[in-house]
């Protein structure tokens, strides 16, 4: 178990978030979109996990129709399986509860078995298959859990 510092991100974290994005996803989020979120122009909330100056991972919470969505969570490959995402998810859960949300949802690629195992460990269940949800046509599962999460 690794104990990173978990804190809210600001626009100063943009480069570090993009580095995690680019190393984690085939289609990283556009830099301008993330910058807009971090500038406070949207209701998005980003938490970062830090080991000193290194951002090990981050998670993003977006309000959505009827609740809150964990829009992204990613940890640098060399820091995975050390509990970093679990601590980010705990932080996101606490922020969402503080904002008054009772449920948290997310989308995950059907083929991302590791991510699905991670979410299932913390009580998320699949509620809907969304064929062709992702750019490139991959299918998504919509998963959901009550808040607070049991971490
Ligand atoms: C999914 C992801 C965020 C998990 O991050 P992490 O820091 O490695 O997760 P944790 O160490 O907190 O894992 C907690 C538990 O979740 C489960 N888990 C996590 N990754 C897993 C994997 N690849 N395979 C199976 N189970 C996994 C395990 O039960 C793990 O506990 P254990 O290590 O004691 O067995 C990380 O693999 C990642 O960044 N993947 C690429 C980006 C991505 O797919 N994000 C999800 C988008 S929907």
């Amino acid at each position: 178990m690794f104990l990173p510092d978990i804190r809210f991100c600001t626009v100063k974290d943009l480069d570090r978030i993009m580095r995690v994005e680019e190393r984690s996803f085939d289609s990283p989020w556009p830099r301008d979109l993330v910058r807009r979120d971090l500038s406070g122009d949207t209701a998005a909330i980003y938490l970062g996990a830090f080991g000193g100056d290194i951002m090990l991972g981050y998670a993003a919470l977006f309000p959505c129709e009827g609740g809150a969505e964990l829009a992204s969570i990613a940890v640098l490959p060399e820091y995975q399986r050390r509990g970093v995402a679990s601590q980010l998810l705990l932080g996101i859960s606490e922020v969402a509860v503080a904002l008054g949300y009772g449920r948290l949802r997310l989308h995950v690629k059907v083929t991302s078995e590791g991510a699905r195992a991670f979410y299932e460990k913390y009580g998320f269940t699949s509620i809907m298959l969304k064929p062709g949800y992702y750019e490139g046509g991959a299918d998504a599962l919509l998963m959901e859990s009550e808040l607070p999460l049991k971490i």
Side-chain angles (χ1 to χ4, degrees):
M1 167 70 109
F2 189 78
L3 280 179
D5 293 325
I6 306 288
R7 64 166 172 79
F8 290 101
C9 295
T10 70
V11 77
K12 289 183 186 162
D13 297 308
L14 179 61
D15 287 344
R16 292 185 282 200
I17 290 174
M18 291 312 299
R19 178 165 173 264
V20 175
E21 270 289 303
E22 282 155 13
R23 294 197 57 208
S24 304
F25 298 109
D26 294 337
S27 302
W29 278 351
R31 187 180 176 85
D32 284 349
L33 184 147
V34 179
R35 180 190 286 113
R36 201 185 52 182
D37 287 339
L38 294 171
S39 303
D41 292 346
T42 70
I45 292 169
Y46 287 59
L47 293 184
F50 295 86
D53 275 346
I54 302 174
M55 179 182 279
L56 314 173
Y58 86 95
L61 179 73
F62 288 9
C64 63
E65 201 177 320
E69 174 152 357
L70 177 69
S72 187
I73 186 166
V75 172
L76 291 174
E78 60 270 33
Y79 290 99
Q80 289 179 7
R81 301 305 288 265
R82 300 196 206 179
V84 174
S86 300
Q87 291 169 76
L88 282 166
L89 189 60
L90 175 61
I92 287 288
S93 167
E94 290 184 352
V95 170
V97 169
L99 291 172
Y101 294 112
R103 303 188 73 78
L104 185 63
R105 70 176 63 164
L106 60 89
H107 290 85
V108 59
K109 256 187 201 166
V110 170
T111 51
S112 293
E113 290 180 10
R116 286 175 58 184
F118 171 71
Y119 295 133
E120 282 164 9
K121 175 170 184 171
Y122 295 121
F124 286 88
T125 53
S126 301
I127 55 173
M128 195 191 297
L129 176 68
K130 294 199 175 177
Y133 177 82
Y134 290 103
E135 201 179 292
D139 300 341
L141 280 177
L142 177 62
M143 302 183 81
E144 194 175 61
S145 175
E146 283 183 10
L147 290 170
L149 299 178
K150 293 173 187 65
I151 297 181

